Amino acid sequence: MFVSNRRNLIMLSVFLSLGVGCVTTSQAAGFSIPPPLKFNAGPLGELNVQGVASAIGFAQTNPSPPGAGLNSKNFGAAITNGLIMINKSSGLIQFNLIAGAYNFPNLGQPFNSASNAINDFTALPEAYLSIVPDKNFSVSIGQLPTLLGYTGTLDFNRMNIEGGFPWTIQPSYSRGVQVNYSAGPLSASLSWNDGYFSNRYNVISGLLTYTIDPENSVSLYAAGNTGHTGTVSDLSSLAFSKNGYVDSSLVYDNSDLYGMYYTYSGKHFTVTPEVQYMYTPTNAAFGTTQSSFDISAMIHAAYYLTKNWSIAGGIDYEKSGSHGEGSAATNGYFGYGPGSSALGLMITPTYTDNGYFIRDELSYVHLTNYSNGFGVDNRPDQFRDILETGFWF
């Protein structure tokens, strides 16, 4: 089950619609997930149904100032998943629905409640219809998971509980149309969408994957805005969130993103290095006269000790910068200030037993050249320990 799940993950990130029935199951590296329930829905045909419920308890150093919700606490708890997943993965017309509560724990970033995530993406984070005339071609329309990057959006899609630095500045879900095609070892997807859930359909994103063999693949991805989203007044009003961190959604929406990752998935070991570059050009609508950029990279790996036990680890790095002199649109893509950089480490042992799972993650982030650090004392370091447990049903 571990090996098949990891190998399916490689193809799933490229060929989303043809594997609609696997969107919420095969993507989970590090989990041995029981198969979904199947039932006949009359004219709809055979449907797959599955659910997951989970929560975390955490401890962290240097939390944000009071009034910043979960992130202001040294100790706390939150729901990570309370989801029902229904999909149809056969026939000409297919669909995928995910409904309920969810959360996005993220390395070095503020904790949020499930209600915040629902406010961003609604209680129906994935909802799309696919037309699949043959096994090599499909078209999907609706609210889809991003094509960009390796790391899964929902935390059970990940080796680690927290998303790493490249994931931080990737979109989670977008609304739009997506075309998928495969020919031999090559698979490609192209999407016209609203980027970071802006409700303005002016972003083109794409993913190309070459599967070398069942254990090795390499993927390239890119996204860019065909125009621009928002105005300088919009950017000013969203410059800071309530917890003091920069809300960079409009900056991201007006940037170009490029990246690549390689995946090795063996019998007991999987590893993925990823490198990513975001570029934000000068933009008269925002009043910016200086372009800026961010380079982020990661190496995430998991070793499968037994069918029940695995251990995952990650090393992440990011660096924000700018070109020339003038006014830039960003105060640092991660909220740590212009010119800042960060190094992050994670280690996550995981235990699964049929539908039950429990895992603990210790993470550490260190900042350099920062202006916005952690806690009331603006510190450069933050330690976290996160315990997550839950079950599939």
Side-chain angles (χ1 to χ4, degrees):
M1 178 68 73
F2 283 104
V3 176
S4 64
N5 280 347
R6 296 198 305 277
R7 290 177 179 171
N8 285 344
L9 169 60
I10 299 170
M11 296 305 298
L12 179 68
S13 62
V14 186
F15 211 39
L16 289 170
S17 298
L18 296 186
V20 172
C22 298
V23 167
T24 60
T25 56
S26 298
Q27 200 175 12
F31 282 94
S32 181
I33 298 172
L37 298 175
K38 296 179 181 291
F39 69 92
N40 191 306
L44 292 178
E46 186 177 74
L47 301 184
N48 305 301
V49 180
Q50 196 162 36
V52 59
S54 64
I56 59 170
F58 66 84
Q60 63 179 346
T61 62
N62 300 319
S64 292
L70 288 174
N71 200 54
S72 67
K73 302 178 183 297
N74 287 108
F75 304 93
I79 293 171
T80 46
N81 296 287
L83 295 170
I84 295 293
M85 293 155 278
I86 303 173
N87 60 63
K88 183 178 185 292
S89 57
S90 61
L92 176 64
I93 306 298
Q94 304 178 16
F95 64 86
N96 187 73
L97 299 172
I98 299 181
Y102 51 97
N103 208 333
F104 306 139
N106 198 7
L107 181 67
Q109 294 294 304
F111 278 114
N112 287 301
S113 64
S115 62
N116 287 341
I118 292 173
N119 287 338
D120 289 337
F121 300 108
T122 78
L124 199 66
E126 289 187 27
Y128 58 90
L129 184 73
S130 299
I131 301 173
V132 189
D134 63 57
K135 66 179 182 179
N136 295 321
F137 177 77
S138 69
V139 179
S140 296
I141 184 169
Q143 188 165 305
L144 297 109
T146 183
L147 292 172
L148 308 178
Y150 173 80
T151 304
T153 295
L154 299 170
D155 81 321
F156 58 80
N157 298 154
R158 307 169 179 171
M159 299 178 190
N160 304 100
I161 298 173
E162 296 170 284
F165 290 154
W167 182 88
T168 299
I169 57 175
Q170 295 164 0
S172 298
Y173 297 104
S174 299
R175 293 165 291 202
V177 179
Q178 180 176 308
V179 178
N180 309 285
Y181 180 74
S182 68
L186 284 174
S187 298
S189 294
L190 187 68
S191 175
W192 179 274
N193 57 73
D194 69 344
Y196 294 81
F197 226 66
S198 68
N199 206 30
R200 183 178 175 87
Y201 296 88
N202 55 6
V203 173
I204 298 176
S205 60
L207 173 66
L208 178 67
T209 292
Y210 178 71
T211 302
I212 303 167
D213 55 42
E215 295 182 339
N216 297 273
S217 70
V218 61
S219 297
L220 304 175
Y221 59 87
N225 197 318
T226 60
H228 73 268
T229 302
T231 65
V232 65
S233 60
D234 296 327
L235 187 68
S236 298
S237 66
L238 293 175
F240 290 90
S241 60
K242 291 181 180 179
N243 55 27
Y245 283 75
V246 173
D247 183 340
S248 299
S249 58
L250 279 179
V251 174
Y252 300 160
D253 262 311
N254 290 280
S255 300
D256 298 326
L257 186 67
Y258 310 93
M260 66 177 298
Y261 56 88
Y262 160 80
T263 297
Y264 168 78
S265 180
K267 183 177 180 181
H268 297 291
F269 179 72
T270 185
V271 60
T272 296
E274 180 177 5
V275 61
Q276 180 175 273
Y277 177 75
M278 177 172 273
Y279 173 74
T280 307
T282 57
N283 190 323
F286 287 146
T288 60
T289 58
Q290 179 182 200
S291 61
S292 52
F293 67 90
D294 181 87
I295 298 173
S296 55
M298 73 170 204
I299 300 178
H300 288 189
Y303 184 75
Y304 302 86
L305 304 167
T306 70
K307 71 174 184 178
N308 299 109
W309 283 98
S310 65
I311 186 166
I315 301 175
D316 289 65
Y317 176 79
E318 72 88 15
K319 168 68 177 177
S320 298
S322 57
H323 300 284
E325 298 180 356
S327 173
T330 173
N331 189 30
Y333 292 80
F334 288 71
Y336 303 134
S340 61
S341 60
L343 176 67
L345 304 171
M346 295 181 284
I347 186 167
T348 315
T350 298
Y351 174 79
T352 63
D353 184 8
N354 294 317
Y356 174 73
F357 65 89
I358 185 170
R359 54 183 178 166
D360 187 82
E361 180 162 295
L362 181 64
S363 65
Y364 169 71
V365 175
H366 176 73
L367 309 179
T368 55
N369 299 319
Y370 68 98
S371 55
N372 301 321
F374 299 111
V376 294
D377 297 322
N378 201 34
R379 305 294 298 172
D381 303 284
Q382 185 177 68
F383 286 92
R384 279 180 176 168
D385 187 74
I386 304 174
L387 179 68
E388 181 181 39
T389 187
F391 60 92
W392 291 85
F393 55 90

